[in-house]
Amino acid sequence: MMLEVLQYVVSFSAIPETVEGFYLTRISPLSLSFMSFPGNLHLVLVLRPTSLLQSPSGTGTDLGFRFSQDDFMLKMPVVMLSSVTDLLRYIDENQLTSEFGGTLEYCHSDWIVLRTAIESFAVTVKEIAQLLQSFGTELAETELPDEADAIEFLLRSHTDKYRQLKDDIRSVMREGRHLLSNLEAAKAAKADGQEDKDIKQDWDTVQRLLAQLRDMEMAFDGFFEKHHLKLQQYLQLMRYEMSFHEVHCTMMGILDWGFCDCGGCQEEMGRAQIIILRGHQLATGHHYALALIVQRCNELRHHCDVVSCFHASVCVCVCLCLCVYVCLQARRWCDEGAYLLANQLVDKFQSKEGAQGALQDLERLQEETPPCLSQSPDVLSLEFEAILTPQLESQIGVATEKLSAMQRMIHNRQACLRKLADIQVRPIQLVAPRPEHSPRCKSPLFSPKHSTCNDHENGISLTGASLTLSLSLSLSLCILLTVLCVFRHIIKELIETERIYVEELLSVLLGYRAEMDNPALSNLLPSVLRSKKEVLFGNMPEIYKFHSRTFLQDLEGCLETPERVGACFLQRKEKFQVYERYCQNKPHSELLWRQCSASLFFQECQKKLEHKLGLDSYLLKPVQRLTKYQLLLKELLKHSADSDYISELQGALESMLDLLKSVNDSMHQIAITGYEGELSDLGRVLMQGSFSVWISHKRGPTRMKARFKPMQRHLFLHEHALLFCKRREEHGEGHDRTPFYSFKHCLRMSAVGITENVKGDVKKFELWYSGREEVYVVQAPTFQIKIAWLTKIRKILTNQQRLLQGFYFASTCLSASMLGVLFIPLVLYCGVL
């Protein structure tokens, strides 16, 4: 307190003496300083300078008089002192500086410099906090672009700003630490070893500012790390989706066009495997879009299996065509060889030139032999062994025998011609075996355009029409075999994956669920998991029982009759409702899993089971299995060759799609809060979605004016009521941020009416309640969604009307029978008719 008084005293101690009445002008600022002094003043000591006492124009009496005029404004005691000795009577010399005859070591200029540095540091910390706040707001409000280059640019720009802010924070931290070191040096310089109150206060201030700065830096680092990770995962997901769609379109093109290049097919399947591996890497990295990535991996695996089956069937078809082609080439070459041998006249062989010419003709025929015929018959049979049928085997046998016979004939003729060409003998007149009419005459015995009984006996030639018919039948057979092969392969995949699915469910139930009751592992089981098996695993035992005892056996019965697979799904349609309860429990299961996923209990169980993936991946298997069913049914429907069973497959696919929709709707329904009553009393959820709603009119004591601004409401259409809810987001990040629906209003369907068209917008329709006492104008996101909702609401209202009519008729009949006036006239009337 005394030090602060001295600061003010020192500030006004050196006053010039050359201006007359100067103290009169300085009294007012002094009074203002007293009024703004930081604390309660009880006494004011004014030391009169000695130089002023020697001034001829200003006397002490004048000064005292003039000062006492403002003393009334101060409203506190003011003591006028004429010397330093008088000052020592009021203030101890330990509280005065050497200038006033005291022993206090104090430099006001140093105090001002230090105080200015501390205030500047505080202002800088505040500015840093504002910069961090504005940058955090910018990051939170940044809209994610749809292009990879834009996302990369956003990542670079945000990283540069982050580094710049980090440099600023480090600079301010260095400044604060420098101030702190100066204060510590000043504290250590105290001779008496006693801590100065002002220095301690300044030291605490700087320490507090540094702590605030460190807290802000840590919070900012955490926020930016999450934001940066989100952007990186978004970029990874975009690139993964682009790669997925490229491979998916290529595979679908292969299946749609029916064209399959062996090399290209293998390359696409290799790319698909790389993308699946990349998806697994993203999933193990705890990507926020885990469900989508797993679904994409499953789709790629399925398409790889289908393309692989299609590739195998095409290879079979190509082999069949190649086999037919080889047979045709063999017969054509044999016919040409037989024609050449028949037209080599014996009388021309007597000369050396004639024999050499005939040899050249035979050598030219052998050079023109198709490459497929250059292999031995055993090699040809081995090459087509995988596709040989009894008919094809007999055809290949005939062609092989004919080819061998023709080659032997040619070798024998060449041997004779070589002897004739090497040994010159006397010409002998020979008689031709047939009259020679023309050099171009063709022997009918070996003419490819004629056939004799010998041809049929030896199986040497076919007519052009029979060859065309044989090729057409072979191609048709190939196409039919391809379709059947793909269909049977999909059935086989369905059964094999069903067996694997059942085995995985059993391993989870025995390896995890049952082990929770194992006393040997009780010390590893977290306390939060005790008595929570039903929450973590849901009704998985019920799902396993249905699949292992019923559905798997039904599917295995379709191995001999694969066309009956659609009927299996339709017969067990109601049993699949167990998945709805499992999916409704899934959010609670995931929340419990996140609380104890790092438990040693789960690590030990996973180690015993030798599972590569954690329990959370296996808990997701039932949801993935539902999506797998509809994919396999679509492929079966696409490759179905028997039109008699297409309707069953179509019904099975629709039932699976309805189940997926029902599961999705029920997942939204369990998030409704604030409804007083049982949601189960409202019936099953038929549809749900977000709409813009206007309350255009309401009569009665609670009349409301029309709203021009729409309300965003999430509507749930039940069998007996329509709920209006408001979608909200829970506080949290990542998986913990889940939506819920706050209940707002309920309309009983027994009192609801609809107006299907609203003027001005084709997406709007009108719901009115209790004779138009309440009217709601609802705008759907699209026209198709509006039509779907109107169709479902119209169906509900029609069913209600039929029930009411039936109830009214039954009531009327009951009343009339009690009065005895109904049945007798009715019988008489029927008798007249």
Side-chain angles (χ1 to χ4, degrees):
M1 181 70 180
M2 298 305 297
L3 181 60
E4 293 170 351
V5 173
L6 284 175
Q7 293 173 4
Y8 280 89
V9 172
V10 172
S11 300
F12 296 100
S13 62
I15 302 176
E17 57 180 352
T18 57
V19 181
E20 182 178 358
F22 179 80
Y23 280 93
L24 184 64
T25 61
R26 295 294 291 175
I27 293 299
S28 178
L30 181 60
S31 302
L32 294 176
S33 299
F34 288 154
M35 296 173 64
S36 62
F37 196 85
N40 297 324
L41 293 180
H42 301 283
L43 179 66
V44 177
L45 301 176
V46 179
L47 180 63
R48 183 184 293 114
T50 58
S51 60
L52 185 63
L53 297 176
Q54 300 171 0
S55 176
S57 60
T59 62
T61 305
D62 296 336
L63 178 62
F65 174 76
R66 293 174 184 176
F67 189 82
S68 63
Q69 297 297 320
D70 287 340
D71 183 31
F72 295 102
M73 298 176 59
L74 296 174
K75 296 180 180 180
M76 64 185 67
V78 178
V79 178
M80 306 298 296
L81 303 175
S82 59
S83 66
V84 175
T85 305
D86 296 338
L87 182 62
L88 293 175
R89 296 175 184 176
Y90 294 92
I91 303 175
D92 189 82
E93 64 178 1
N94 293 330
Q95 300 295 325
L96 293 175
T97 61
S98 59
E99 185 180 358
F100 296 98
T103 61
L104 179 66
E105 295 181 0
Y106 172 77
C107 181
H108 189 56
S109 60
D110 292 343
W111 181 86
I112 291 175
V113 170
L114 180 61
R115 194 65 197 174
T116 303
I118 294 175
E119 294 295 333
S120 175
F121 177 65
V123 171
T124 306
V125 171
K126 182 178 180 181
E127 291 176 351
I128 288 292
Q130 293 175 349
L131 288 175
L132 294 180
Q133 181 67 29
S134 61
F135 185 56
T137 304
E138 178 186 350
L139 294 182
E141 296 178 354
T142 300
E143 295 185 0
L144 297 180
D146 297 331
E147 297 180 357
D149 295 338
I151 298 175
E152 291 178 350
F153 174 77
L154 204 61
L155 278 169
R156 288 194 299 270
S157 62
H158 287 178
T159 303
D160 293 341
K161 290 182 181 179
Y162 168 75
R163 291 173 178 171
Q164 181 62 39
L165 283 174
K166 288 287 289 184
D167 293 339
D168 295 342
I169 292 174
R170 295 189 187 100
S171 177
V172 177
M173 292 284 286
R174 286 193 298 270
E175 180 182 350
R177 285 192 290 268
H178 180 68
L179 278 175
L180 208 60
S181 63
N182 290 339
L183 289 172
E184 291 175 350
K187 186 192 302 183
K190 290 294 181 179
D192 54 0
Q194 297 181 356
E195 186 177 359
D196 192 352
K197 180 180 178 181
D198 291 338
I199 294 178
K200 183 177 184 305
Q201 183 178 2
D202 293 339
W203 190 85
D204 292 340
T205 301
V206 175
Q207 276 283 48
R208 186 179 67 255
L209 291 173
L210 282 174
Q212 292 177 359
L213 192 60
R214 282 192 293 268
D215 292 342
M216 287 188 297
E217 183 181 16
M218 291 177 61
F220 175 65
D221 289 341
F223 175 76
F224 183 79
E225 181 181 355
K226 292 180 180 179
H227 174 78
H228 195 70
L229 178 62
K230 178 183 177 183
L231 278 181
Q232 286 181 333
Q233 290 184 345
Y234 181 71
L235 179 61
Q236 293 170 351
L237 181 63
M238 179 174 289
R239 289 174 174 169
Y240 183 78
E241 283 284 295
M242 292 173 59
S243 302
F244 168 79
H245 285 296
E246 288 178 2
V247 175
H248 179 266
C249 292
T250 304
M251 287 186 170
M252 295 306 295
I254 291 174
L255 296 176
D256 293 339
W257 300 336
F259 175 75
C260 181
D261 179 19
C262 294
C265 223
Q266 295 293 336
E267 181 180 354
E268 289 302 322
M269 286 192 288
R271 288 180 58 193
Q273 293 299 328
I274 294 175
I275 295 174
I276 292 173
L277 179 61
R278 177 58 179 162
H280 283 302
Q281 293 174 351
L282 294 178
T284 54
H286 303 288
H287 200 282
Y288 68 88
L290 177 62
L292 177 62
I293 293 173
V294 171
Q295 180 183 356
R296 296 304 193 200
C297 291
N298 290 336
E299 290 181 11
L300 280 181
R301 289 194 193 94
H302 172 69
H303 289 309
C304 283
D305 293 340
V306 174
V307 171
S308 177
C309 177
F310 177 74
H311 176 258
S313 63
V314 169
C315 290
V316 171
C317 182
V318 170
C319 288
L320 288 172
C321 295
L322 182 60
C323 180
V324 174
Y325 174 75
V326 168
C327 294
L328 294 176
Q329 286 288 89
R331 296 188 178 189
R332 182 187 63 80
W333 187 80
C334 291
D335 289 342
E336 291 180 358
Y339 177 73
L340 178 62
L341 293 176
N343 281 276
Q344 286 182 342
L345 301 180
V346 179
D347 56 349
K348 293 184 178 180
F349 299 162
Q350 302 305 314
S351 63
K352 183 176 181 180
E353 291 77 9
Q356 291 178 349
L359 274 173
Q360 292 176 358
D361 292 339
L362 293 176
E363 291 174 357
R364 193 180 301 112
L365 176 65
Q366 288 181 327
E367 291 175 358
E368 295 175 356
T369 303
C372 58
L373 302 181
S374 59
Q375 301 175 352
S376 64
D378 296 335
V379 174
L380 286 176
S381 299
L382 183 62
E383 183 176 353
F384 299 113
E385 181 180 6
I387 60 168
L388 284 180
T389 61
Q391 295 81 1
L392 287 176
E393 188 174 4
S394 62
Q395 292 289 332
I396 291 178
V398 171
T400 303
E401 292 177 1
K402 178 179 179 181
L403 183 64
S404 301
M406 181 54 62
Q407 288 175 346
R408 286 195 300 270
M409 293 174 63
I410 290 175
H411 288 318
N412 294 334
R413 178 65 62 88
Q414 285 178 330
C416 296
L417 289 175
R418 287 192 185 96
K419 293 180 181 179
L420 294 174
D422 293 339
I423 302 173
Q424 183 65 35
V425 296
R426 185 173 61 86
I428 301 174
Q429 187 70 27
L430 298 176
V431 179
R434 290 183 58 84
E436 185 177 359
H437 299 288
S438 170
R440 296 181 180 181
C441 179
K442 299 181 180 179
S443 171
L445 179 62
F446 296 102
S447 174
K449 296 183 181 181
H450 299 82
S451 63
T452 62
C453 60
N454 294 330
D455 297 333
H456 293 290
E457 291 175 359
N458 297 327
I460 294 178
S461 65
L462 287 173
T463 63
S466 63
L467 292 177
T468 304
L469 178 61
S470 177
L471 181 59
S472 300
L473 292 175
S474 299
L475 291 176
S476 300
L477 179 62
C478 292
I479 295 173
L480 180 60
L481 289 175
T482 302
V483 173
L484 292 176
C485 181
V486 173
F487 191 84
R488 288 184 175 274
H489 178 78
I490 298 173
I491 294 293
K492 184 178 179 181
E493 179 188 357
L494 174 61
I495 297 173
E496 290 297 328
T497 54
E498 185 71 15
R499 290 171 180 163
I500 296 173
Y501 175 56
V502 171
E503 292 174 358
E504 289 176 341
L505 291 181
L506 181 60
S507 67
V508 171
L509 293 176
L510 295 180
Y512 287 100
R513 191 176 187 274
E515 289 295 319
M516 293 176 68
D517 298 328
N518 187 357
L521 299 177
S522 60
N523 59 329
L524 300 179
L525 188 67
S527 58
V528 71
L529 269 180
R530 301 185 186 276
S531 303
K532 293 291 183 67
K533 287 193 298 185
E534 288 73 17
V535 178
L536 184 61
F537 297 95
N539 63 331
M540 184 179 286
E542 188 178 0
I543 295 176
Y544 169 74
K545 181 179 178 181
F546 163 62
H547 283 272
S548 62
R549 298 184 181 181
T550 305
F551 194 62
L552 178 59
Q553 296 177 5
D554 292 346
L555 292 179
E556 289 176 342
C558 296
L559 282 173
E560 299 299 329
T561 56
E563 63 277 358
R564 299 294 301 172
V565 69
C568 292
F569 282 91
L570 292 177
Q571 291 172 0
R572 309 300 178 184
K573 179 180 178 180
E574 300 299 328
K575 295 290 186 179
F576 277 98
Q577 296 300 323
V578 295
Y579 282 93
E580 187 170 338
R581 295 194 297 275
Y582 184 83
C583 293
Q584 288 177 352
N585 179 69
K586 197 69 174 67
H588 307 291
S589 175
E590 291 177 351
L591 179 60
L592 184 61
W593 166 254
R594 287 195 295 271
Q595 295 176 0
C596 54
S597 58
S599 170
L600 294 176
F601 171 79
F602 293 115
Q603 297 177 9
E604 184 66 23
C605 293
Q606 182 177 350
K607 183 179 179 181
K608 288 182 179 180
L609 294 172
E610 298 182 354
H611 283 176
K612 296 181 179 180
L613 301 177
L615 175 61
D616 55 332
S617 300
Y618 288 92
L619 293 177
L620 197 61
K621 292 289 184 181
V623 182
Q624 295 173 345
R625 190 59 184 170
L626 280 183
T627 59
K628 184 72 172 179
Y629 284 140
Q630 57 98 10
L631 290 174
L632 290 171
L633 287 172
K634 285 181 180 178
E635 293 298 326
L636 285 174
L637 193 61
K638 183 177 179 181
H639 296 91
S640 179
D642 194 344
S643 59
D644 296 337
Y645 298 97
I646 288 181
S647 59
E648 292 183 351
L649 286 174
Q650 186 67 41
L653 176 59
E654 292 176 357
S655 67
M656 286 295 104
L657 294 176
D658 290 342
L659 178 61
L660 288 173
K661 180 181 178 300
S662 177
V663 167
N664 183 54
D665 293 343
S666 64
M667 293 290 289
H668 287 273
Q669 181 193 12
I670 62 175
I672 298 177
T673 60
Y675 179 76
E676 297 180 356
E678 293 293 336
L679 290 172
S680 58
D681 296 339
L682 304 181
R684 194 165 57 91
V685 179
L686 302 179
M687 301 189 79
Q688 55 85 24
S690 297
F691 297 86
S692 298
V693 180
W694 291 263
I695 302 178
S696 63
H697 184 66
K698 188 171 185 179
R699 296 199 299 259
T702 58
R703 180 177 180 181
M704 295 177 59
K705 294 183 179 180
R707 289 178 60 105
F708 294 98
K709 184 179 180 181
M711 300 179 294
Q712 299 301 319
R713 292 291 182 261
H714 202 90
L715 273 59
F716 290 87
L717 180 62
H718 293 73
E719 292 176 329
H720 307 304
L722 177 64
L723 297 186
F724 288 77
C725 301
K726 184 174 182 179
R727 180 187 173 97
R728 302 182 187 274
E729 294 285 344
E730 287 185 352
H731 297 292
E733 297 180 358
H735 295 288
D736 298 331
R737 191 177 181 88
T738 56
F740 69 96
Y741 303 95
S742 178
F743 170 75
K744 292 297 181 182
H745 197 55
C746 175
L747 303 180
R748 295 287 174 178
M749 293 304 297
S750 57
V752 169
I754 58 173
T755 303
E756 297 188 1
N757 296 313
V758 176
K759 185 177 180 181
D761 194 342
V762 297
K763 296 183 291 185
K764 290 182 179 179
F765 61 95
E766 198 175 68
L767 293 171
W768 41 271
Y769 191 64
S770 297
R772 301 189 70 85
E773 179 182 347
E774 300 176 11
V775 180
Y776 299 85
V777 177
V778 181
Q779 183 185 42
T782 62
F783 178 72
Q784 291 75 14
I785 294 178
K786 168 192 169 181
I787 295 300
W789 273 73
L790 287 176
T791 302
K792 189 64 69 174
I793 294 174
R794 195 185 304 114
K795 184 177 180 180
I796 295 175
L797 297 180
T798 303
N799 291 337
Q800 288 182 352
Q801 186 177 7
R802 289 175 180 172
L803 289 174
L804 289 175
Q805 289 176 352
F807 177 75
Y808 175 75
F809 178 75
S811 301
T812 304
C813 292
L814 180 61
S815 301
S817 63
M818 293 176 65
L819 296 174
V821 297
L822 174 64
F823 291 100
I824 296 175
L826 182 60
V827 172
L828 292 176
Y829 178 72
C830 292
V832 172
L833 292 178

